[in-house]
């Protein structure tokens, strides 16, 4: 805060959060410490860059006045964010009833015999403000959490699903146990049947081999009988024996084939 005989100026540095292509404003507060009217005027080293409202005015006794300084939108940032612009605030005591329209440039001339106070103000560029990070709100203590319809529906469906799964698991367990108990029985039955079939097949093969051997033996005896019949002169007796032998052979073969 700048302290003078007529006005207190706050702040003494004009701080602008610099952003490209955006107008930025800051304020200066002037406080009149006297019982007189005080006229003021604001000058700058770069008038095309800044707009000051009001740039001239009157501060009533024991009152304050705010001056708004607006920096026009800039297309590029200065090197190292350093600004050399400055402002000059001039103030002078004015007569009672002085209005802003009564202020003239001659009032702030040192050759007029008036006491002109001056206060220099610097300009600072600041980085743009960062957006606040989102913060999750915690529920108040002592308050029960709200239960939505969706939550209750999800809980009910979960219970139903678990019930269905339990019943399904029980059914599948019973089915598996019954299947597991029937499996050995089926295996035993099939094993018994296969053993019985093998025994029957073995018995048939043995009977077939015996029949083949018997048939071969009978064939040999018939050949012997035929050779003996051809040599004998009395063919009547031999023919009867041959017929009897053939009949016996036929009966044996028929019996074997039936079995």
């Amino acid at each position: 805060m700048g302290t003078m005989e007529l006005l207190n100026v706050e702040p003494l540095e004009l701080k602008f959060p610099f952003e490209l292509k955006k107008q930025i404003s800051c304020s200066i507060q002037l406080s009149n410490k006297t019982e007189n009217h005080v006229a003021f005027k604001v000058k700058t080293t770069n008038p095309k860059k800044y707009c000051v409202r009001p740039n001239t005015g009157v501060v009533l006794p024991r009152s304050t006045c705010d001056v708004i300084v607006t920096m026009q939108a800039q297309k590029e940032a200065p090197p190292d964010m350093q600004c050399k612009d400055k402002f000059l605030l001039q103030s002078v005591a004015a007569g009672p009833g002085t209005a802003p329209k009564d202020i003239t440039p001659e009032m702030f001339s040192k050759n007029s015999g008036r006491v002109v106070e001056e206060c220099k103000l610097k300009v600072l560029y600041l980085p743009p403000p960062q957006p606040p990070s989102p913060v999750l709100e915690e529920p108040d203590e002592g308050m029960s959490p709200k239960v939505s319809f969706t939550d209750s529906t999800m809980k009910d469906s979960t219970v139903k699903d678990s019930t269905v799964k339990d019943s399904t698991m029980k059914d599948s367990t019973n089915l598996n146990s019954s299947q597991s108990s029937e499996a050995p029985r089926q295996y035993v039955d099939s094993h018994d049947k296969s053993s019985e079939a093998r025994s029957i097949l073995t018995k048939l093969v043995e009977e077939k081999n015996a029949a083949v051997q018997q048939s071969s033996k009978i064939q040999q005896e018939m050949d012997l009988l035929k050779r003996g019949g051809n040599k004998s002169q009395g063919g009547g007796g031999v023919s009867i024996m041959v017929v009897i032998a053939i009949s016996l052979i036929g009966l044996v073969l028929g019996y074997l084939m039936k079995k």
Side-chain angles (χ1 to χ4, degrees), residues 20-31:
L20 293 176
K21 300 180 181 180
K22 183 178 180 180
Q23 287 187 349
I24 307 169
S25 300
C26 66
S27 63
I28 305 172
Q29 188 178 71
L30 307 178
S31 301

Side-chain angles (χ1 to χ4, degrees), residues 26-30 40 42 52-55 65-69:
C26 66
S27 63
I28 305 172
Q29 188 178 71
L30 307 178
F40 69 89
V42 181
V52 182
R53 291 290 182 272
N55 61 343
C65 176
D66 290 332
V67 178
I68 306 299
V69 181

Side-chain angles (χ1 to χ4, degrees), residues 20-21 26 41 57 73 127-128 153 161 167 176 199-200 204 213 219 233-234 249 257:
L20 293 176
K21 300 180 181 180
C26 66
K41 183 178 182 179
T153 305
D161 293 341
S167 60
N176 292 332
S199 61
I200 294 173
L204 290 175
Q213 292 177 0
Q219 185 66 34
Q233 296 178 356
I249 292 170
M257 292 299 293

Side-chain angles (χ1 to χ4, degrees), residues 34-69:
T34 69
E35 301 294 336
N36 301 319
H37 289 65
V38 177
F40 69 89
K41 183 178 182 179
V42 181
K43 297 180 180 181
T44 179
T45 57
N46 197 344
K48 293 183 179 180
K49 187 176 180 180
Y50 301 94
C51 177
V52 182
R53 291 290 182 272
N55 61 343
T56 59
V58 176
V59 185
L60 300 178
R62 302 294 178 180
S63 62
T64 60
C65 176
D66 290 332
V67 178
I68 306 299
V69 181

Side-chain angles (χ1 to χ4, degrees), residues 178-194:
S178 60
Q179 291 178 352
S180 61
S181 61
E182 290 177 359
R185 190 183 309 144
Q186 293 177 355
Y187 175 77
V188 172
D189 294 341
S190 61
H191 182 71
D192 294 340
K193 290 180 181 180
S194 61

Side-chain angles (χ1 to χ4, degrees), residues 199-215 252-253 255-259:
S199 61
I200 294 173
L201 181 61
T202 303
K203 187 174 181 181
L204 290 175
V205 170
E206 292 176 353
E207 292 179 354
K208 178 182 177 183
N209 293 332
V212 171
Q213 292 177 0
Q214 187 67 26
S215 175
V252 173
L253 290 176
Y255 176 75
L256 292 176
M257 292 299 293
K258 288 181 180 181
K259 294 186 72 174

